[in-house]
Amino acid sequence: MSNSLSEQSSLGSVCEEVRPSFLRARDPSVDRCFRPRPDRQVRLFDEIQEEGQTDYNSDADVSSSSEDVSTALSEASNDTTTDSNAALVYLRLKPVTNISTSYTITPKGNVLTVGPSNDASSTSNNKNKMEQHYSFSAVFESNVKQDEVYRICIAPRIENQTDSFTVLTYGTSGSGKTFTLLGTPNHPGIVPRAVENIFRMNASNIYPQPALKLEKGTACILDDDALAREEHMRQTLLESCVGMNADHELLEKTIKAEHDFQTIVQDEVSVFIWISFVEIYNELVFDLLSPPSQHSKLSQQMAPQPRKSLKVATNDGKVFIQGLTSVYVKSCSESLKLLHWGLQHVSYASTSINSNSSRSHCIFFIDVIKYYSSGVVVDTSYKFCDLAGSERLSKTRNIGSRLTEAKGINTSLMTLGRCLDAANNNKKLKTKSQVIPVRESKLTMLLQAALLGKEKLTMIVNVTPTDLFYEENMNVLRFSAIAKNITFKQPVKPVNKSRYSFVVEKAKSAAEEIIFLRSEVERLTSEMQYRLLEQERLLRQELVGSFEQKLAEKQKDYELTLKRELQIQQRIHDAQIESLKRQYENKIEDLREQYEEEEIERKRRTLE
Ligand SMILES: Nc1ncnc2c1ncn2[C@@H]1O[C@H](COP(=O)(O)OP(=O)(O)OP(=O)(O)O)[C@@H](O)[C@H]1O
């Protein structure tokens, strides 16, 4: 091995030629041109590789003898953080009770020294029992709290405002990747803190309508129908997040107590914030924020519906996921509710190492689009990627579907390693660039902006410092050392798209007009309702009046008729009385005559 290395350096052709080695095991699945090649003189035995593992340390920032400590320390003090295009790689140690004596931190220079394994049965490739030194941008020991990790790793990137970036958490299963990225309600991770930071900074400029959106990686204006659809989807998703308020209140309270994020007062700028969330499970991309349809709600009660995977595509060099749900968010709490809602759909499972182990790579996207009144549109994209644990199949004792998942996880992590390795090699090649194999896995396709140097890269390496994880940690550290060496050639610049000025202005005025028209419709509707009520009232009044008048007339008529009738009856009655009177008078007259006649008759008789 030393032979091959010295040959390489003496020949001065470090990376162009492939030099086979009988000592160094190669992963047969790795294409020749992508195999890592050493370019530094290291000790013979450090290069011995066992169990056919992929070796990422060929040109890693690993010094393999105690003499190299000083070199490593000086390298660490000349940290790549001074180069604004360099990848930032941080180390975070998980708090454990049985900490291994193999790991030592040298705070000056942020160096982790790994001694030989304490485990006699270890199959470690560090057979020569030499110390190895890994330097980082910063090292977080077990007692370092979440807020400090955020303040050092992420806050400067966010507060810079114009740089897009990707954050990766990488480590063995159960080493604290998810804890670092998402945390718990009492110990929020970097994602909730970043969301709060972004909203706090832009608090005075958040636009109330989803008028601008990234479509296929390009900022576009939404027409009325699309805007209404976005609003509807937003509401549907937020309504699905009921019952999550308690956790968010605690989370936001904790973040506000630990940070003092400042609002940046900016005139003449409108900010549009969109979020999306995906998981890559067994090399398939799934949308974690797809809105629940009425149909799926019903069918879920009967049997779980198979999920639909999405395609990754590119447009003008920009990667996007076809049909991915992107949600317009107006506040930190809305974003966190959606994040937690999405997390309910992530593939977790219990392994022998972690009872709640992520079985997929998850990426949370935050797109911030800024429209300046000068007509400039700047879109900044933040990706937070929780990589699934790198694991040894023997240690996790996975079988069946867990084994398939583990193989998928390890394959995509291997491709990621090869991409970082190629990017690292390109740093050294002055003339010819090596192709970075980003298209070989879904994970690297989605992270290609960072891997191809178009946006900044931050990696947080999580390590469980116990003897049990010695070998896995060595692989993780070699991997991180490659990432630490990368300096991207292209400086990352904000994309100013002044050609959007007219359309964006139009969108803005159209959005304002929509608001005005909607309020006008509401005003006219209520005015019309009032008028209708008023008309009804008047009509009622008129009807009542006319009925009253008619009644009065009728009453008068009836009274007259009655009076007339009474008069007639009176007259009839009088006539009848008169006739009866006459009849009786005649009768009385007759009777009187009759009496007189009888009287005369009686007198006559008496006289006779
Ligand atoms: N720095 C830390 N402080 C306190 N607890 C931690 C820390 N890091 C990890 N843990 C705890 O360790 C456990 C495993 O962590 P976590 O789930 O984040 O691991 P992981 O690396 O995401 O694992 P996997 O890849 O299997 O999903 C969790 O219960 C978590 O709370």
Side-chain angles (χ1 to χ4, degrees):
M1 172 60 70
S2 62
N3 236 353
S4 113
L5 284 169
S6 57
E7 264 176 42
Q8 280 179 349
S9 46
S10 64
L11 284 167
S13 56
V14 179
C15 295
E16 273 81 2
E17 284 178 46
V18 176
R19 294 178 181 279
S21 164
F22 61 89
L23 284 175
R24 186 186 166 104
R26 301 280 198 202
D27 184 334
S29 67
V30 181
D31 190 272
R32 274 172 159 258
C33 65
F34 297 124
R35 282 177 190 162
R37 285 158 216 150
D39 68 342
R40 179 187 291 198
Q41 193 159 2
V42 291
R43 289 171 70 96
L44 170 66
F45 296 113
D46 286 350
E47 289 297 310
I48 295 174
Q49 182 80 8
E50 288 190 353
E51 291 191 7
Q53 290 174 35
T54 310
D55 183 8
Y56 294 121
N57 83 334
S58 52
D59 51 2
D61 188 12
V62 181
S63 34
S64 309
S65 75
S66 49
E67 295 146 38
D68 290 339
V69 179
S70 55
T71 327
L73 283 168
S74 67
E75 270 179 23
S77 56
N78 287 330
D79 190 6
T80 41
T81 49
T82 50
D83 182 345
S84 63
N85 288 325
L88 296 179
V89 183
Y90 299 92
L91 173 70
R92 187 174 198 193
L93 298 181
K94 182 183 170 179
V96 287
T97 43
N98 50 340
I99 190 160
S100 165
T101 51
S102 301
Y103 306 95
T104 325
I105 302 287
T106 314
K108 191 169 176 251
N110 297 313
V111 173
L112 172 76
T113 306
V114 186
S117 171
N118 294 326
D119 184 1
S121 64
S122 167
T123 53
S124 164
N125 50 26
N126 188 10
K127 286 280 189 218
N128 56 348
K129 302 202 185 304
M130 301 305 291
E131 282 185 347
Q132 298 197 348
H133 305 275
Y134 299 89
S135 76
F136 294 90
S137 306
V139 175
F140 304 112
E141 292 194 54
S142 312
N143 57 352
V144 175
K145 298 278 179 286
Q146 300 275 67
D147 58 322
E148 201 168 336
V149 174
Y150 179 77
R151 243 178 236 118
I152 293 171
C153 303
I154 310 296
R157 295 269 208 218
I158 297 267
E159 280 153 21
N160 165 288
Q161 290 205 68
T162 48
D163 287 337
S164 295
F165 66 79
T166 295
V167 182
L168 302 174
T169 49
Y170 182 64
T172 59
S173 186
S175 59
K177 298 180 294 296
T178 311
F179 181 79
T180 302
L181 216 55
L182 302 173
T184 61
N186 284 310
H187 305 282
I190 57 182
V191 174
R193 286 170 204 268
V195 172
E196 173 67 28
N197 199 350
I198 293 167
F199 274 98
R200 175 68 41 221
M201 273 196 326
N202 297 298
S204 52
N205 300 91
I206 303 288
Y207 199 73
Q209 299 272 318
L212 260 185
K213 185 182 185 185
L214 286 185
E215 300 270 15
K216 298 184 180 178
T218 307
C220 292
I221 306 117
L222 299 187
D223 61 22
D224 286 2
D225 288 350
L227 202 130
R229 273 199 303 277
E230 292 295 343
E231 275 293 350
H232 178 256
M233 186 195 56
R234 205 181 101 75
Q235 289 306 333
T236 315
L237 277 168
L238 287 171
E239 277 161 21
S240 314
C241 303
V242 283
M244 296 184 179
N245 289 340
D247 270 4
H248 294 109
E249 279 160 21
L250 176 58
L251 213 104
E252 284 186 68
K253 212 172 124 193
T254 315
I255 298 173
K256 279 176 188 154
E258 291 177 351
H259 298 274
D260 183 23
F261 298 133
Q262 298 296 312
T263 300
I264 298 170
V265 183
Q266 285 174 292
D267 287 337
E268 321 256 301
V269 58
S270 302
V271 179
F272 304 81
I273 302 177
W274 297 81
I275 58 165
S276 29
F277 196 16
V278 296
E279 77 164 339
I280 305 165
Y281 179 72
N282 286 346
E283 270 303 283
L284 294 171
V285 180
F286 295 105
D287 187 353
L288 293 174
L289 292 184
S290 65
S293 65
Q294 207 56 39
H295 170 75
S296 71
K297 269 190 217 162
L298 287 173
S299 54
Q300 259 172 21
Q301 288 166 4
M302 294 181 282
Q305 288 288 101
R307 295 190 296 172
K308 216 174 124 194
S309 68
L310 304 178
K311 277 189 183 151
V312 181
T314 47
N315 174 33
D316 199 14
K318 288 172 190 156
V319 186
F320 67 95
I321 302 171
Q322 281 175 353
L324 177 68
T325 311
S326 193
V327 193
Y328 189 69
V329 277
K330 297 181 194 171
S331 68
C332 173
S333 69
E334 279 183 7
S335 319
L336 297 184
K337 276 182 200 169
L338 293 172
L339 168 69
H340 283 111
W341 190 77
L343 280 172
Q344 291 176 354
H345 305 104
V346 172
S347 311
Y348 285 106
S350 183
T351 65
S352 60
I353 292 173
N354 188 356
S355 59
N356 201 22
S357 178
S358 326
R359 309 311 297 154
S360 57
H361 308 294
C362 290
I363 311 178
F364 186 69
F365 299 85
I366 307 176
D367 292 317
V368 181
I369 313 173
K370 284 189 179 174
Y371 165 68
Y372 293 87
S373 58
S374 59
V376 173
V377 176
V378 177
D379 61 83
T380 319
S381 164
Y382 306 126
K383 297 183 193 76
F384 296 90
C385 178
D386 183 10
L387 295 173
S390 61
E391 53 200 24
R392 269 210 177 170
L393 306 184
S394 56
K395 200 154 278 177
T396 46
R397 292 198 288 277
N398 287 329
I399 49 164
S401 58
R402 291 292 87 76
L403 183 66
T404 318
E405 286 163 3
K407 283 178 180 165
I409 293 166
N410 287 348
T411 308
S412 52
L413 289 178
M414 197 173 82
T415 311
L416 179 63
R418 286 168 51 207
C419 289
L420 291 174
D421 192 45
N424 190 20
N425 287 341
N426 284 345
K427 185 183 111 180
K428 294 165 207 155
L429 292 172
K430 294 279 179 286
T431 50
K432 209 171 109 189
S433 280
Q434 187 176 330
V435 175
I436 300 176
V438 287
R439 299 189 66 82
E440 290 186 17
S441 79
K442 293 281 163 46
L443 175 70
T444 48
M445 272 176 95
L446 290 178
L447 300 182
Q448 66 176 268
L451 298 170
L452 299 175
K454 291 179 187 166
E455 63 184 40
K456 298 197 167 176
L457 176 67
T458 295
M459 183 185 275
I460 301 174
V461 179
N462 293 88
V463 163
T464 309
T466 57
D467 289 325
L468 182 71
F469 289 97
Y470 183 86
E471 293 146 52
E472 284 88 342
N473 285 342
M474 292 302 277
N475 286 333
V476 167
L477 290 166
R478 288 181 194 120
F479 187 101
S480 70
I482 298 173
K484 174 105 189 348
N485 270 346
I486 298 170
T487 304
F488 297 106
K489 285 176 181 172
Q490 295 167 287
V492 186
K493 291 232 172 78
V495 192
N496 294 344
K497 298 166 185 165
S498 51
R499 65 197 161 99
Y500 284 111
S501 63
F502 167 69
V503 274
V504 172
E505 197 58 74
K506 223 173 107 190
K508 199 179 171 190
S509 60
E512 276 161 7
E513 203 174 323
I514 289 164
I515 298 170
F516 169 75
L517 286 174
R518 279 188 187 140
S519 69
E520 206 44 17
V521 166
E522 272 173 28
R523 190 183 64 77
L524 286 172
T525 314
S526 63
E527 201 176 298
M528 191 56 82
Q529 277 172 346
Y530 172 76
R531 276 193 198 170
L532 277 170
L533 284 172
E534 188 62 18
Q535 272 187 355
E536 195 182 318
R537 192 183 64 78
L538 286 173
L539 196 68
R540 278 177 195 277
Q541 216 173 33
E542 208 174 294
L543 278 172
V544 168
S546 94
F547 276 121
E548 274 176 356
Q549 198 184 348
K550 275 189 183 163
L551 268 176
E553 281 169 8
K554 282 250 183 246
Q555 194 176 4
K556 214 170 168 184
D557 281 355
Y558 280 128
E559 275 173 7
L560 272 175
T561 317
L562 205 64
K563 206 172 168 185
R564 239 178 273 138
E565 193 70 24
L566 268 173
Q567 281 172 349
I568 293 165
Q569 292 295 331
Q570 188 71 40
R571 254 179 258 138
I572 293 169
H573 187 250
D574 286 353
Q576 280 175 341
I577 288 175
E578 197 59 36
S579 136
L580 279 172
K581 198 177 161 186
R582 245 180 272 127
Q583 272 180 17
Y584 287 123
E585 277 174 357
N586 285 341
K587 263 191 181 171
I588 291 168
E589 195 60 33
D590 287 347
L591 285 171
R592 194 183 291 140
E593 279 175 8
Q594 197 180 347
Y595 177 72
E596 280 173 0
E597 277 175 10
E598 280 176 1
E599 198 59 26
I600 293 165
E601 185 67 37
R602 194 182 54 86
K603 275 177 185 173
R604 193 184 56 86
R605 272 185 200 154
T606 321
L607 285 173
E608 277 178 357

